Amino acid sequence: MTISVEELENQLLKLKQEAIDAIASLDSLNSLEGLRLAYFGKKGQLSQILGGMGKLAGSDRPRIGALANEVKEEIQTLLDNQRQEFQQAEIQAKLASETIDVTMPGSYRPLGRIHPIQSTIDRVNDIFVGLGYTVATGPEMETDYYNFEALNTPVDHPARDMQDTFYLPDGNLLRTHTSSVQIHYMEANEPPIRIIAPGRCYRRDTVDATHSAVFHQIEILAVDEGLTFTDLKGTIKVFLEEMFGADLPIRFRASYFPFTEPSAEVDVQWKGRWLEVMGCGMVDPNVLKKVGYDPELYTGFAAGFGVERFAMVLHQIDDIRRLYTSDLRFLQQF
Ligand code: 2U9
């Protein structure tokens, strides 16, 4: 069954017009893709019309072929233009949604602050690193040996009562000071030693305005040939003047710690009264022996203090608990 060339021409022109109208009423990229397939897909309308070319007289085919290509090109061009328009619109919409109006006030996000405990630790670390000390850290859970035995505090030693702590089912405990860190360090390193050991410690103390069951401590240790109490006093003087200011009246009061001999408490005159701020002493030879150092060759000095205590003195904080309650009204002062 043959078909007239006019018939095919009309079909092509009618298709073209339909396409022009359909493309003009497109509203999205998806519908555009749908339309493209409706015309150019395998079962598309254009393909179907072209399918009729077989029934044309041979002489008419080129004419229809040319028209068909022309219609195809035109529809393709319209589709491409529309696609670009949609893509442009999409980009504009995206830009508009992402455009930040820099004149708009920013969303205020309060900047955090370094917690006064951490800032005190950082300040002390900086001073001692400046004096050639290395920051050493260690586990908060320790064995009885590293927290007590190695520090000249055997099982029945009365000093243990002042350092009662939390004992774990496996016999380990939560450290009561960072002295255990120094023992680990000395077992792993030969003198000369200059270390500062900051960290969290635990004591089964009744919590009140000056005591907390969890607190922070910093200890320093120096081991070398020929270190004396004078070196200790000089080191502490430099440190305390850095912290509290120059020409700070300092006094050393004889005291006792199981791991140092002689030992002293250190007071500073602050705001017109003497304040005990730390303890210190020459490392007890038994402690050196336990880590394999020859106390005939090496001597050491050490000191320790509570970070919260320092922060409370420096910032006139009346109650240690304020440092743990995360009350922004309090913390924003620092
Ligand atoms: C080794 C040898 C000796 C560390 C020292 C102190 C004095 C001291 C207290 C301060 C406040 C504990 O938190 S606190 O209650 N500590 O006064 N600490 S000498 O002596 C050492 C440490 C390690 C190997």
Side-chain angles (χ1 to χ4, degrees), residues 28-42:
S28 75
L29 269 173
N30 297 346
S31 53
L32 183 146
E33 186 49 27
L35 205 59
R36 189 185 68 74
L37 289 172
Y39 290 120
F40 298 148
K42 278 199 189 45

Side-chain angles (χ1 to χ4, degrees), residues 227-243:
L227 288 179
T228 68
F229 204 92
T230 308
D231 301 309
L232 171 58
K233 289 179 77 172
T235 303
I236 289 185
K237 183 170 170 32
V238 168
F239 163 58
L240 290 176
E241 290 189 343
E242 280 286 330
M243 290 298 283

